């Protein structure tokens, strides 16, 4: 994941996801072509060493195994680097007020009855972020393994009418790699922690309703009836001072607040 693809901008979650997926797909396509070219090189080696062109020469058995290990290690390094960059991008493990990287994702805080919620909701945001991590690890599925004792890509196996076809890829081994599992888990835990801080921020808006009944429909109805009581000017003076203090409190809250990689825009509320 190259951070330069964001151009210093803050994106809606859907756009951010598409941008990251587009970049990932582009890189995997390039690497896949390079991976496929390895077999052609090994075929030339076979012709020089064994004088055959089968891609499964017994004389090159250990050489095939050597290259499979090299390929496995290369894919592991690729995914670890991608996850490490993603961890840095999401600023996992950093305090919001200590973050040096800019936010890359923007969401809005909006009214939902008496509550203030995110749009899109936190549950949807969580799904997007976890899908990004999952897709990065599953990049290993693009690299189909060779048949044993050869450099020939294994055939797709039909699993019947009700199951998707199976490809023998590097994913099964790589997904169990402890280093990859740890970084992916750290990112997931960090994202949950950041979203938890956002939830606390949204809850802080309840103060205005709990103390002032700002979104209380009964209070609004009561205010609407005041004109029928012909209140004295002193009543308005006392109430205006309360609402003036309330307005000042609301306007002192920042229009946008950054939570690591996530920027919450509260302008629809304020």
């Amino acid at each position: 994941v190259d951070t330069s693809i964001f151009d210093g901008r803050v994106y809606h979650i859907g756009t951010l996801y598409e941008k990251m997926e587009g970049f990932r797909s582009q890189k995997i396509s390039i690497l896949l072509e390079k991976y496929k070219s390895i077999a052609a090189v090994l075929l030339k080696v076979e012709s020089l060493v064994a004088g055959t062109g089968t891609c499964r020469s017994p004389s090159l058995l250990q050489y095939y195994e050597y290259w499979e290990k090299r390929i496995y290690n290369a894919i592991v390094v690729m995914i670890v680097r991608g996850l490490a960059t993603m961890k840095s991008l999401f600023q996992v493990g950093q305090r919001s007020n200590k973050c040096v990287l800019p936010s890359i994702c923007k969401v809005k805080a909006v009214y939902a009855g008496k509550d203030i919620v995110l749009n899109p909701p936190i549950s949807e945001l969580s799904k997007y972020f976890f899908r990004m991590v999952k897709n990065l690890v599953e990049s290993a599925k693009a690299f189909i393994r060779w048949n044993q004792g050869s450099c020939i890509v294994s055939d797709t196996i039909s699993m019947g009418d009700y199951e998707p076809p199976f490809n023998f890829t590097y994913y099964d081994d790589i997904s169990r790699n402890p280093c990859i599992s740890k970084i992916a888990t750290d990112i997931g835990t960090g994202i949950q922690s950041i979203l938890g801080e956002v939830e606390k921020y949204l809850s802080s808006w309840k103060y205005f309703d709990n103390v002032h009944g700002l979104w209380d429909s009964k209070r609004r109805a009561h205010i609407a009836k005041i004109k029928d009581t012909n209140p004295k000017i002193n009543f308005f003076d006392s109430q205006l001072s309360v609402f003036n203090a309330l307005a000042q409190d609301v306007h002192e809250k920042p229009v946008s607040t950054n939570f690591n990689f996530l920027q919450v825009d509260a302008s629809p509320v304020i």
Side-chain angles (χ1 to χ4, degrees), residues 8-9 15 20 28 46 67 83 107 112 119 127 134 146 150 156 164 201 203 213 217 228 230 234 238 254-255:
R9 295 171 57 190
T15 306
M20 292 187 70
I28 291 299
E46 180 189 347
W67 274 103
L83 288 172
V107 292
N119 181 27
K127 289 178 181 178
K134 183 172 180 285
W146 298 335
S150 77
T156 300
Y201 165 76
S203 296
S217 58
D228 297 329
N230 294 320
N234 292 339
S238 63
V255 174

Side-chain angles (χ1 to χ4, degrees), residues 48-62:
L48 294 172
V49 173
T52 57
T54 63
C55 288
R56 51 171 173 264
S57 172
S59 302
L60 273 69
L61 178 60
Q62 292 183 337

Side-chain angles (χ1 to χ4, degrees), residues 45-219:
V45 172
E46 180 189 347
S47 67
L48 294 172
V49 173
T52 57
T54 63
C55 288
R56 51 171 173 264
S57 172
S59 302
L60 273 69
L61 178 60
Q62 292 183 337
Y63 201 46
Y64 298 142
E65 293 175 351
Y66 164 80
W67 274 103
E68 277 211 300
K69 291 177 182 177
R70 287 284 303 270
I71 293 165
Y72 169 82
N73 290 334
I75 297 172
V76 168
V77 170
M78 174 191 72
I79 293 176
V80 167
R81 286 178 176 174
L83 288 172
T85 303
M86 188 175 287
K87 184 177 180 179
S88 175
L89 201 61
F90 291 157
Q91 303 175 50
V92 169
Q94 301 181 39
R95 294 183 178 180
S96 295
N97 59 352
K98 299 292 184 180
C99 293
V100 294
L101 293 176
S103 297
I104 58 173
C105 184
K106 184 175 183 178
V107 292
K108 290 184 179 293
V110 297
Y111 292 111
K114 294 176 64 174
D115 295 323
I116 306 296
V117 299
L118 288 188
N119 181 27
I122 286 180
S123 59
E124 186 175 339
L125 289 174
S126 183
K127 289 178 181 178
Y128 268 111
F129 295 131
F130 280 98
R131 202 180 305 155
M132 290 178 193
V133 177
K134 183 172 180 285
N135 289 348
L136 184 51
V137 176
E138 289 187 350
S139 295
K141 289 183 176 181
F143 302 91
I144 301 176
R145 301 192 72 154
W146 298 335
N147 289 325
Q148 188 173 6
S150 77
C151 60
I152 301 172
V153 172
S154 60
D155 293 329
T156 300
I157 301 173
S158 175
M159 304 299 290
D161 296 334
Y162 303 103
E163 294 290 336
F166 174 78
N167 285 312
F168 183 46
T169 70
Y170 283 90
Y171 172 74
D172 289 338
D173 289 334
I174 284 177
S175 63
R176 292 192 292 266
N177 183 286
C179 183
I180 289 176
S181 298
K182 185 180 185 308
I183 301 176
T185 300
D186 288 346
I187 294 174
T189 302
I191 289 173
Q192 289 291 68
S193 177
I194 293 167
L195 293 178
E197 290 298 314
V198 174
E199 285 187 316
K200 290 180 182 178
Y201 165 76
L202 296 176
S203 296
S204 69
W205 284 90
K206 291 183 179 179
Y207 161 82
F208 297 105
D209 189 52
N210 295 337
V211 176
H212 301 283
L214 198 59
W215 298 291
D216 190 336
S217 58
K218 293 182 180 179
R219 183 179 178 86

Side-chain angles (χ1 to χ4, degrees), residues 222-241:
H222 175 71
I223 293 174
K225 294 179 180 178
I226 288 178
K227 64 180 182 180
D228 297 329
T229 64
N230 294 320
K232 296 181 179 180
I233 193 169
N234 292 339
F235 170 82
F236 289 105
D237 283 340
S238 63
Q239 293 300 313
L240 286 173
S241 63

